[in-house]
Amino acid sequence: MEDKVRIATRVAQELKSGDIVNLGIGIPTLVVDYLPDDVTVYIHSENGILGVGPTPTAEEVDPDLVNAGKLPVTVLEGAAYFDSASSFAMIRGGHVDLSILGALQVNEQGQIANWAVPGSLVLGVGGAMDLLEGTKRIIVATTHCTKEGKPKLVKNATYPLTSLRRADLIVTELAVFGVSEEGLTLLELAPTVSLEEVQQKTEAAFLIRGDIW
């Protein structure tokens, strides 16, 4: 199974019927395609949609219907459209149950850096800061390492943090980590992945749930 699909499939298991869910750019946008058949959620997009559906086929693409990352989307029956001010009022008002966000780095405290790389062009923080501050639960969906093989779960972030708020869960292609005041705790290993591999590819310190040993 491709790493990104593995991550999206595992994250989809965390969604519960009735949830209002925001999907960040990148791997999080795949989650809508791997929802369990018995789960119905309402996907929210910062640019003003509630009721985003699965990724469109080539024949279904409507150039006027895109998400906040400018990717084409479908909408479900009963979907609502509104302006960005109303969309962010939903986020800031605590009406989004779950946000699934990508990350450039996650530090030992579970804080996320996902909006700027020092030395590169930065257009702005977008909705990431608002989502971290205003959403009830945060899941990070990210590959365990960069394309260069460097760990994304680091002791201290070298990229600017998006918010001081911690994530609640981190899902990679290798493992699932819970986040608490004590830091990161390894909760699951992906099939065929060893504890030694996760330790080798993770810079951040983490606790290990007892049944994993």
Side-chain angles (χ1 to χ4, degrees):
M1 184 184 297
E2 183 186 354
D3 289 346
K4 293 181 180 180
V5 173
R6 184 190 298 277
I7 296 166
T9 301
R10 177 59 186 84
V11 171
Q13 297 174 17
E14 295 293 318
L15 277 60
K16 300 176 181 178
S17 288
D19 281 348
I20 296 176
V21 182
N22 185 283
L23 304 179
I25 294 171
I27 294 172
T29 62
L30 302 176
V31 172
V32 68
D33 295 326
Y34 298 97
L35 292 173
D37 293 337
D38 59 347
V39 172
T40 300
V41 298
Y42 305 96
I43 303 296
H44 170 273
S45 184
E46 298 102 293
N47 59 325
I49 308 173
L50 183 62
V52 174
T55 302
T57 64
E59 294 74 23
E60 292 174 324
V61 169
D62 180 345
D64 293 324
L65 191 58
V66 297
N67 62 19
K70 299 183 176 62
L71 294 176
V73 296
T74 61
V75 292
L76 303 177
E77 182 177 356
Y81 303 93
F82 33 86
D83 59 28
S84 289
S86 298
S87 186
F88 276 84
M90 291 176 64
I91 298 167
R92 295 167 183 168
H95 303 292
V96 177
D97 298 301
L98 172 65
S99 284
I100 303 167
L101 302 175
L104 297 169
Q105 291 178 331
V106 184
N107 68 16
E108 285 186 346
Q109 290 74 47
Q111 296 167 321
I112 303 168
N114 74 345
W115 71 281
V117 177
S120 66
L121 178 64
V122 178
L123 299 178
V125 71
M129 184 183 296
D130 295 274
L131 290 166
L132 275 163
E133 290 295 327
T135 305
K136 295 173 185 175
R137 187 175 184 225
I138 300 291
I139 296 178
V140 173
T142 183
T143 54
H144 207 90
C145 298
T146 67
K147 293 179 180 179
E148 295 74 31
K150 296 181 179 179
K152 287 190 176 183
L153 276 62
V154 296
K155 183 175 181 62
N156 297 300
T158 56
Y159 296 158
L161 292 177
T162 308
S163 166
L164 295 181
R165 188 254 178 95
R166 296 187 296 264
D168 297 288
L169 196 72
I170 303 165
V171 179
T172 78
E173 76 279 14
L174 301 183
V176 177
F177 294 85
V179 184
S180 67
E181 293 182 358
E182 287 73 37
L184 308 183
T185 299
L186 178 63
L187 302 179
E188 299 175 20
L189 293 171
T192 74
V193 174
S194 68
L195 176 58
E196 290 73 22
E197 181 180 1
V198 172
Q199 290 172 323
Q200 180 183 13
K201 295 181 177 179
T202 307
E203 179 187 303
F206 58 88
L207 303 172
I208 303 172
R209 196 172 66 181
D211 58 353
I212 290 186
W213 286 102

